[in-house]
Amino acid sequence: MPKIFITNKSGRPQTFEVHGWNHNLNLTVKPHSTSTLSAPDKSSGAIIALHGGHEGEQAEITFNGFGGNDFIDISNIVGAGGNITIQQQGEPSTRKGDPLFMQNLRAAWKKASPATKDGLKGSIFLNKKGEVERMGPIKDNPKLETFVRSFADGKTYIGIGAWNGSPGNKSDNDQSSAAKGTKNAVITYSDGDATPSHGEANTAHRAPMEQMNMVEHVSASEAHKPENNKGEVGVDLHNNSNKACTYFFYDNYWNGNGTAGANFDKPLKSVRLAPKASRFVPLPASFKGRVQRGTLIPATWVEFQCEAANDKAAHGDISLQQGCDGAATIQGTDGAPHGSGLIGGFTKDIITHAPEKAKVKRQDGVICLASTVGNWMAGPNDVAAEWELKEVGQKKAYIRGGSGTDIISSKNRRFDIVFY
């Protein structure tokens, strides 16, 4: 059964009308998070962004249609108020939609003549500052179609296309071209750039330059000793490998009951350690997220929170669900049996001798084990999952989610984390 991944890159909740799936119920996607819908094979429908109750940009999908191919497109026929794109999972060449539609609309409006603006009355809606806030249905105003084609022709469905004996517009007809076979669909919404942040055509998970420049560099000779920071909340971080590495700490965008909005593009802080170096990394007690090598995936995730609401202790685990780029362990530092007496994770190399079908080459050229649950780049890799279950086991690391993995605790809100 195909999946539809809907990512909201904007800083506010976004509501979508859903036709064909989700029992035809509206769906609100939280800021900086992704919602997933299941779609029966050969099903069709639409995901329509709502703006103040008005329908706007929409993604239209038919799974496993003619010739066994998916048919996907973006349409602005009924309006616009934000930016949206769609593509098959792992296939950036199938991407459709204008990721900067609203910005291009506003720029075109500023340049438009008084006569053009007069002809668009009732179709272009402005805010109190006189800026374009929303566009009405193109189908209701032929002049609006001409205006939109001036900046978005060939990027989105603008007219009605070939229909009822009408040949339609070639640019619109081309939007209905088939994709490659049938795969999960990835929809990205944004008030800014709706290009998928983590698609294969982009620098996946790469931190902004201003954050990269703030990396703390620590050599083995100058590494802080953990015992000098007793009583502080955070982690004692160790690079047990033979090469320097930068580690990034990501605080979740939001946390719910058994769910979380994973953060992929805004790390809280980063620390660079020389080979065999260690240092204490202070963190706010509210931290709930992960630390990983670099900013790309696949990667081994050390997931933890510094202070749980119920017992005020730190809790953590190792996860291989988004891939594996090496071994890692997590251990409590409070001296209690439930803390430092229990170690989560593993220390051995499980990548070198893994089956080739379990491996993928990351964007930086590093060979990793693929995701066991799937993401916007590819579906679940069962070969990787079976290999990790054999070599590591679900008890030591989350491999297929669910339960059965050791949750490491530390009453002093501090962990010992080692990357190998």
Side-chain angles (χ1 to χ4, degrees), residues 84-219:
I84 196 169
T85 60
I86 187 171
Q87 69 173 66
Q88 284 184 318
Q89 186 179 50
E91 298 289 348
S93 64
T94 65
R95 188 177 304 150
K96 293 180 180 179
D98 183 352
L100 294 171
F101 183 92
M102 289 301 296
Q103 284 81 351
N104 293 331
L105 169 60
R106 292 180 183 117
W109 176 258
K110 285 183 178 180
K111 296 177 183 177
S113 66
T116 297
K117 290 182 178 180
D118 187 64
L120 297 176
K121 283 182 178 179
S123 295
I124 299 295
F125 301 88
L126 310 179
N127 59 22
K128 293 180 180 179
K129 296 180 180 179
E131 301 166 335
V132 177
E133 184 174 64
R134 183 176 65 83
M135 181 185 81
I138 294 175
K139 60 185 179 66
D140 293 346
N141 187 344
K143 292 182 179 180
L144 181 59
E145 177 176 340
T146 301
F147 178 67
V148 173
R149 288 199 187 281
S150 70
F151 62 87
D153 192 47
K155 299 177 182 178
T156 178
Y157 238 110
I158 298 172
I160 61 172
W163 183 258
N164 244 358
S166 169
N169 182 282
K170 182 180 183 305
S171 296
D172 293 335
N173 294 336
D174 289 345
Q175 295 300 306
S176 297
S177 59
K180 304 175 181 178
T182 185
K183 297 184 177 182
N184 295 331
V186 177
I187 296 172
T188 304
Y189 173 87
S190 180
D191 293 327
D193 189 342
T195 302
S197 296
H198 321 298
E200 294 174 355
N202 304 295
T203 52
H205 315 316
R206 196 168 301 282
M209 286 306 297
E210 63 267 26
Q211 291 167 320
M212 296 289 283
N213 292 335
M214 292 173 62
V215 172
E216 298 179 63
H217 298 267
V218 183
S219 66

Side-chain angles (χ1 to χ4, degrees), residues 35 57 64 79 143 223 232 259 293 343 347 361 390 420:
S35 293
E57 58 282 357
N64 195 8
K143 292 182 179 180
E232 292 188 48
T259 63
R293 299 175 185 86
I343 301 177
T347 62
K361 180 181 286 188
K390 172 178 174 290
Y420 295 84

Side-chain angles (χ1 to χ4, degrees), residues 234-291:
V235 301
D236 298 323
L237 185 65
H238 308 271
N239 176 10
N240 204 40
S241 74
N242 293 317
K243 60 182 180 180
C245 187
T246 303
Y247 303 91
F248 286 79
F249 291 78
Y250 290 87
D251 209 355
N252 291 336
Y253 278 126
W254 56 268
N255 299 288
N257 183 17
T259 63
N263 174 357
F264 291 99
D265 50 11
K266 293 184 179 179
L268 177 69
K269 63 170 58 180
S270 55
V271 176
R272 184 170 180 81
L273 294 179
K276 309 303 180 184
S278 303
R279 85 159 299 158
F280 173 72
V281 182
L283 293 168
S286 61
F287 181 88
K288 188 174 184 179
R290 72 181 186 279
V291 59

